[in-house]
């Protein structure tokens, strides 16, 4: 008789599959979807499998914030058998109930109706902006260095706070690609014991507009054209450039977007910025103004433009896959939270910069970023929809010690976020969804509404009352309540206008341009030329060139040449600004954790050396991908990519341990990457890997027969191409090159 022990059944399946896997797969390459499957369909009933080791879930708290002590798995599906939503077991879910095998389907088929009805309503409205996103769980550890400027409890020394972070693109739909040129969201939900704090940040520190009333306009301009619904997830079209060339306050943000910041290599190599200026208050009631910054442990790193374009087709999920694979592999993404602190003066300015203008930065050379804590993401979602899709952020979710300012963009966001969630999440009770539940007691007197999950007691949801004994009571000063700071509002007439300090639209765009290295300036020129070249109307190109003329004559002239247009003269005196080296991504070294290292092998390669190199890659907290003529195994080594399935864009560096001859499938009719038929001693797809890595400024290394490939590709001896007598020697040199992300001196810039 078959065992009906569910735990044993799961264990047997896993152990059976594990016996077939070589010891060399430990540690394993991340990305396996679920447990190893048996060849035949399982038929022995058993409980649902446990989550994967890297998966997490929201704490099991009640809708009013109390811990239940129940394991997080308790929210998942239960039992070994298929049931209805009400728990009735089902014997069949493949056939509807009919009047005879060939008869009509009967209306009484409650299982059919329940299954189809739920399916018809599986989708909720996607976010108007930031629809394409991915999230992860983690922890935030405070250093205590912010205690002198804010009384927020989660920033006290030694405090650990659970967080959920969602990264996103702004313009595209949920089905768009990850690697488009766009602004990225970096929203963090801190589950503090004083209430939830949402730091809703971007990877660009400035915004397109200065006033929230223009937000529908800039998004309508950036979204696909309403007549054809194209182009998707990009700003390279007429309506976007029509808007930003007329609303010149957008020029600073646009400059960041046209830089490498617009196409990050990974969420793990992205900075985050709170954009707005906030007001902090400490235990003594003293206030300062502050800006929030996230600094990635791995440094700021971006894709090159061709990589981004290729990835949009080859792997549109590249960024979310990179995030989740890194967590599974134990290369936990980390950022340091820092603050720039400014005196809270009546003018609310610093070094002549208006702190309420969301299109302006304060250079770090003028106000250093002070580290206050570390964020580590260490768990992936158990269910993407329940967590990443239903998480709801709001800039007004603030703990005691942090308050808003009169930034007109921030003021509008305080209204917009709640209003958006009412539609997306079908009513006012969205804070009760598990991913949104606070980790502090909730007694809000809010009642009823769609999807009310709390079972409220008492009869008097109003204040004051005596029927419930006065509960809930207002908090006193000793109870650490959130306090609206008594900031003086200046007497002034009601007007629809901005202060004169908001009129400077070009000096900080020029500051950004002058702060870039020559290679980064080349990329900005290329981005503007590409995007404006996609516009249909020449007048829009000409108008944007006028804006670029007010930023820098070299930038304007180079873009104009690429468009085949004359470069206009500036309409204003070019401002005299001091560059900020902190804005450049180039010139520092960073850890190589989580990098993907491709290793080309074949059956003739020295597999002992390959094993040593593979172990060394794992030991350096990187991930090796063996690339071979075919899938399956090479000797006792598992192959992760074949020449047919692998592509350079998923790699950070390439190692060559072999010079594989053309494989049987290296046929243009079967694999277009094989190219035109020509007599070459090396598989043409391996040469393509080398050529792409070379022109994308990636480190390349080879030893033994692999050196032949570099000779065939014509790249041997160029910067960042390493050869050596052993695999370990070559890997060490490549690791050193990875510290600077790319080998930029391979391509000298033409602009200074």
């Amino acid at each position: 008789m078959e065992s009906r022990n569910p735990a044993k059944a799961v264990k047997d399946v896993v152990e059976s599959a594990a016996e077939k896997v070589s010891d060399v797969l430990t540690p394993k390459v991340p990305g396996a979807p679920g447990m190893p499957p048996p060849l035949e369909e399982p038929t022995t009933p058993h409980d649902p499998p446990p989550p994967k080791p890297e998966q997490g879930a929201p704490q099991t708290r009640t809708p009013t914030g109390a811990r239940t002590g129940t394991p997080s798995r308790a929210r998942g599906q239960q039992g070994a058998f298929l049931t209805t939503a009400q728990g009735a077991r089902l014997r069949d879910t493949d056939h509807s109930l009919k009047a005879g095998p060939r008869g009509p389907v009967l209306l009484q088929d409650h299982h059919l109706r329940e299954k189809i009805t739920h399916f018809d309503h599986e989708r909720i409205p996607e976010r108007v902006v930031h629809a394409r996103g991915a999230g992860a769980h983690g922890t935030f550890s405070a250093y205590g260095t912010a205690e002198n400027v804010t009384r927020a409890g989660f920033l006290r020394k030694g405090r650990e706070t659970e967080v959920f972070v969602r990264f996103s693109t702004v313009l595209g739909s949920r089905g768009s690609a990850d690697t488009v040129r766009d602004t990225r969201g970096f929203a963090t939900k801190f589950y503090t014991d004083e209430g939830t704090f949402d730091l809703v940040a971007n990877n660009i520190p400035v915004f397109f507009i200065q006033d929230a009333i223009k937000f529908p306009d800039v998004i309508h301009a950036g979204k696909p054209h309403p007549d054809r619904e194209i182009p998707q997830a990009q700003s390279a079209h007429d309506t976007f450039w029509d808007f930003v060339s007329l609303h010149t306050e957008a020029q600073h943000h646009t400059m960041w977007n046209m830089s490498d910041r617009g196409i990050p290599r990974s969420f793990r190599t992205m900075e985050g910025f709170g954009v707005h200026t906030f007001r902090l208050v400490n235990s003594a009631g003293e206030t300062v103004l502050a800006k929030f910054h996230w600094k990635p442990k791995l440094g700021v790193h971006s894709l090159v433009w061709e990589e981004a374009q290729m990835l949009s087709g080859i792997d549109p999920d590249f960024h979310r896959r990179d995030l989740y694979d890194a967590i599974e592999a134990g290369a936990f993404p980390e950022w340091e939270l820092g603050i720039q602190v400014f005196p809270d003066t009546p003018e609310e300015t610093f070094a002549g910069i208006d702190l309420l203008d969301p299109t302006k930065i304060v250079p770090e050379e003028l106000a250093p970023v002070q580290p206050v804590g570390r964020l580590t993401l260490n768990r992936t979602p158990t269910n993407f929809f329940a967590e990443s899709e239903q998480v709801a952020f709001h800039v007004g979710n603030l703990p005691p010690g942090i308050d808003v300012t009169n930034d007109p963009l921030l003021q509008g966001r305080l209204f917009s976020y709640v209003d958006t969630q009412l539609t997306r999440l079908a009513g006012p009770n969205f804070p009760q969804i598990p991913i949104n539940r606070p980790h502090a007691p909730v007694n809000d007197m809010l009642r009823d509404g769609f999807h009310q999950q709390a079972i409220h007691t008492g009869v008097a949801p109003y204040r004051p009352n005596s029927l419930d004994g006065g509960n809930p009571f207002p908090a006193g000063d000793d109870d650490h309540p959130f306090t609206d700071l008594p900031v003086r509002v200046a007497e002034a007439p009601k007007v629809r206008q901005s202060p004169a300090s908001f009129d400077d639209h070009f000096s900080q765009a020029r500051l950004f341009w002058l702060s870039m290295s020559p290679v980064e300036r080349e990329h900005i020129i290329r981005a503007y030329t590409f995007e404006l070249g996609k516009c249909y109307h020449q007048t829009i190109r000409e108008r944007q060139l006028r804006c670029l003329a007010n930023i820098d004559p070299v930038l304007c002239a180079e873009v104009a040449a690429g468009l085949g247009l004359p470069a206009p003269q500036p309409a204003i005196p070019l401002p005299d600004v001091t560059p900020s080296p902190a804005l450049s991504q180039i010139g520092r070294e960073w850890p190589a954790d989580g990098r993907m290292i491709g290793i080309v092998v074949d059956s003739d390669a020295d597999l002992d050396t390959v094993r040593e190199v593979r172990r060394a890659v794992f030991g350096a907290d990187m991930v090796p991908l063996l690339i071979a003529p075919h899938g399956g195994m090479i000797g006792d080594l598992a192959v992760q990519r074949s020449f047919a399935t692998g592509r350079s864009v998923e790699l950070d560096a390439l190692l060559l341990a072999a010079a594989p001859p053309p494989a049987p499938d290296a046929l243009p009719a079967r694999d277009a990457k094989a190219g035109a038929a020509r007599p070459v001693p090396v598989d043409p797809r391996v040469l393509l890997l080398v050529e792409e890595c070379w022109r994308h400024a990636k480190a390349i290394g080879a030893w033994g027969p692999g050196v032949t490939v570099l000779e065939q590709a014509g790249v041997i001896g160029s910067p960042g191409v390493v050869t050596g007598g052993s695999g370990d020697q070559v890997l060490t040199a490549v690791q050193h090159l990875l510290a600077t992300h790319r080998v930029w001196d391979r391509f000298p810039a033409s602009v200074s």
Side-chain angles (χ1 to χ4, degrees):
M1 182 177 179
E2 289 184 328
S3 169
R4 302 303 287 264
N5 183 322
K8 184 177 185 302
V10 174
K11 183 172 180 287
D12 290 346
V13 170
V14 173
E15 288 182 350
S16 174
E19 288 173 0
K20 302 175 184 178
V21 180
S22 169
D23 289 341
V24 299
L25 290 183
T26 304
K28 64 183 180 66
V29 170
M35 65 171 63
L39 182 61
E40 304 298 334
E41 178 184 354
T43 57
T44 303
H46 60 78
D47 284 339
K52 294 168 65 179
E54 75 276 8
Q55 291 178 331
Q59 287 186 1
T60 50
R61 291 181 176 259
T62 70
T64 52
R67 295 201 73 152
T68 67
T70 306
S72 60
R73 276 200 69 194
R75 280 188 298 251
Q77 61 270 37
Q78 305 292 319
F81 298 100
L82 178 69
T83 73
T84 67
Q86 306 304 319
R89 290 183 179 179
L90 294 163
R91 68 169 61 249
D92 188 294
T93 190
D94 294 327
H95 305 90
S96 53
L97 189 64
K98 308 178 189 72
R102 297 178 61 82
V105 174
L106 301 179
L107 183 62
Q108 74 182 65
D109 189 346
H110 65 283
H111 176 46
L112 168 70
R113 286 185 287 115
E114 178 184 75
K115 188 174 179 181
I116 294 296
T117 298
H118 194 282
F119 171 77
D120 289 345
H121 296 269
E122 276 185 5
R123 294 294 175 263
I124 64 174
E126 68 176 33
R127 292 167 170 86
V128 177
V129 289
H130 297 277
R132 174 76 177 181
H137 298 271
T139 58
F140 176 79
S141 302
Y143 300 157
T145 49
E147 291 184 36
N148 62 323
V149 293
T150 177
R151 63 188 182 94
F154 81 99
L155 290 174
R156 292 177 190 153
K157 186 174 183 178
R159 285 286 183 92
E160 289 220 348
T161 303
E162 289 205 32
V163 300
F164 186 81
V165 177
R166 186 177 187 271
F167 304 102
S168 55
T169 53
V170 171
L171 291 178
S173 66
R174 277 193 67 194
S176 59
D178 280 349
T179 59
V180 295
R181 184 180 292 281
D182 197 1
T183 307
R184 264 73 182 176
F186 189 142
T188 306
K189 186 175 289 292
F190 296 82
Y191 300 99
T192 88
D193 58 6
E194 296 179 306
T196 300
F197 171 42
D198 287 343
L199 181 53
V200 192
N202 284 339
N203 75 319
I204 292 176
V206 292
F207 210 69
F208 285 106
I209 52 174
Q210 297 167 321
D211 193 309
I213 201 168
K214 293 183 181 181
F215 190 73
D217 300 312
V218 68
I219 297 304
H220 289 164
K223 285 286 190 177
H225 294 187
D227 54 350
R228 299 188 178 191
E229 188 62 13
I230 55 176
Q232 177 64 249
Q234 58 178 296
S235 54
H237 56 92
D238 288 69
T239 58
F240 174 80
W241 290 100
D242 185 37
F243 181 90
V244 301
S245 62
L246 291 170
H247 292 264
T248 52
E249 68 201 63
Q251 291 296 315
H252 188 197
H253 185 113
T254 303
M255 178 70 75
W256 280 76
N257 230 17
M258 295 302 104
S259 77
D260 292 341
R261 302 280 186 149
I263 43 174
R265 158 61 179 82
S266 165
F267 295 139
R268 300 180 290 131
T269 59
M270 230 171 55
E271 277 187 295
F273 305 91
V275 178
H276 307 289
T277 300
F278 291 83
R279 182 170 274 106
L280 308 182
V281 57
N282 64 15
S283 299
E286 300 164 330
T287 63
V288 295
L289 301 178
K291 287 182 176 288
F292 291 101
H293 294 249
W294 289 113
K295 298 286 188 180
K297 171 190 174 185
L298 302 181
V300 186
H301 181 30
S302 297
L303 297 167
V304 298
W305 183 225
E306 186 186 33
E307 280 184 300
Q309 293 173 303
M310 292 169 63
L311 280 165
S312 289
I314 294 168
D315 188 2
D317 305 305
F318 181 71
H319 282 154
R320 63 174 61 178
R321 189 188 313 281
D322 172 86
L323 173 68
Y324 295 144
D325 282 357
I327 293 173
E328 183 184 350
F332 297 146
E334 291 185 347
W335 292 261
E336 207 163 45
L337 180 64
I339 54 175
Q340 285 181 299
V341 177
F342 319 103
D344 189 1
T345 63
E347 297 78 20
E348 296 173 310
T349 63
F350 182 80
I353 301 166
D354 193 329
L355 297 175
L356 301 189
D357 183 349
T359 68
K360 302 291 194 301
I361 64 166
V362 177
E364 294 182 29
E365 291 78 7
L366 298 179
V369 176
Q370 305 171 31
V372 299
R374 182 173 290 269
L375 166 68
T376 304
L377 298 182
N378 53 22
R379 290 173 293 141
T380 65
T382 299
N383 183 276
F384 192 91
F385 175 82
E387 297 164 72
S388 295
E389 196 58 30
Q390 290 195 123
V391 67
F393 296 95
H394 176 35
V395 290
N397 288 343
L398 300 165
I402 302 176
D403 204 353
V404 298
T405 58
N406 291 338
D407 175 340
L409 178 62
L410 175 58
Q411 293 284 314
R413 294 176 76 189
L414 291 169
F415 165 79
S416 178
Y417 279 64
V418 171
D419 192 48
T420 297
Q421 306 305 343
L422 290 174
T423 297
R424 285 198 68 248
L425 301 173
N429 290 311
F430 60 84
Q432 296 182 18
I433 295 171
I435 192 64
N436 297 321
R437 289 180 183 176
H439 293 188
V442 175
N443 195 344
D444 53 19
M445 294 195 301
L446 305 176
R447 293 295 186 268
D448 306 339
F450 285 110
H451 310 300
Q452 176 58 256
Q453 299 170 57
I455 309 298
H456 293 111
T457 60
V459 297
Y462 51 84
R463 281 278 314 155
N465 73 70
S466 60
L467 294 177
D468 284 345
N471 180 274
F473 300 93
D477 290 341
D478 293 338
D479 302 310
H480 307 291
F482 181 87
T483 303
D484 294 293
L485 298 174
V487 178
R488 183 175 297 279
V489 178
E491 181 182 350
K494 292 190 295 185
V495 294
R496 289 190 181 273
Q497 66 184 60
S498 297
S501 57
F502 278 38
D503 292 340
D504 172 15
H505 297 167
F506 296 106
S507 67
Q508 290 216 331
R510 179 166 173 77
L511 164 68
F512 185 84
W513 167 259
L514 293 178
S515 302
M516 294 295 100
S517 65
V519 68
E520 289 171 303
R521 293 184 190 180
E522 291 280 8
H523 296 169
I524 292 172
I525 291 167
R526 179 176 58 197
Y528 273 110
T529 305
F530 176 87
E531 296 247 333
L532 291 169
K534 300 285 280 187
C535 291
Y536 184 88
H537 294 287
Q538 182 166 314
T539 52
I540 290 175
R541 299 181 195 138
E542 292 174 351
R543 191 191 308 138
Q544 178 59 28
L545 285 174
R546 291 180 186 176
C547 295
L548 297 184
N550 291 337
I551 297 171
D552 187 83
V554 173
L555 171 62
C556 182
E558 294 291 335
V559 174
L563 297 174
L565 295 171
Q569 294 299 309
I572 60 173
L574 293 180
D576 184 16
V577 297
T578 301
S580 169
L583 297 177
S584 174
Q585 296 182 193
I586 296 175
R588 283 162 284 181
E589 294 190 353
W590 306 97
D593 301 23
R595 302 295 178 83
M596 307 295 283
I597 310 299
I599 307 174
V600 172
V601 299
D602 66 5
S603 57
D604 294 329
D606 180 354
L607 297 186
D608 288 336
T609 298
V610 172
R611 285 190 202 91
E612 293 174 6
V613 169
R614 193 171 179 275
R615 280 194 292 268
V617 171
F618 274 128
D621 294 324
M622 300 185 294
V623 178
L625 297 179
L626 294 193
I627 308 171
H630 54 75
M633 308 289 287
I634 292 287
D636 61 352
L637 295 173
V639 173
Q640 281 75 48
R641 302 288 187 273
S642 69
F643 298 160
T645 62
R647 203 65 189 264
S648 68
V649 285
E650 64 179 322
L651 307 175
D652 293 289
L654 180 67
L655 303 178
L656 297 134
D665 65 343
L667 306 170
R670 190 170 300 172
D671 187 352
K673 296 196 301 299
R678 61 188 191 275
V680 290
V682 176
D683 192 298
R685 295 166 297 181
V686 175
L687 291 175
L688 180 63
L689 276 175
V690 173
E691 291 163 4
E692 288 178 348
C693 285
W694 186 84
R695 67 174 184 259
H696 297 158
K698 294 177 181 177
I700 305 169
W703 64 91
V707 177
T708 305
V709 182
L710 303 183
E711 294 170 346
Q712 288 287 320
V715 301
I716 197 165
S718 63
V721 178
V722 180
T723 59
S726 70
D728 286 344
Q729 177 188 4
V730 170
L731 176 61
T732 299
V734 165
Q735 279 182 269
H736 177 72
L737 293 169
L738 280 171
T740 57
H741 297 313
R742 295 186 193 268
V743 187
W744 292 121
D745 56 353
R746 187 179 293 164
F747 305 111
S750 65
V751 295
S752 59

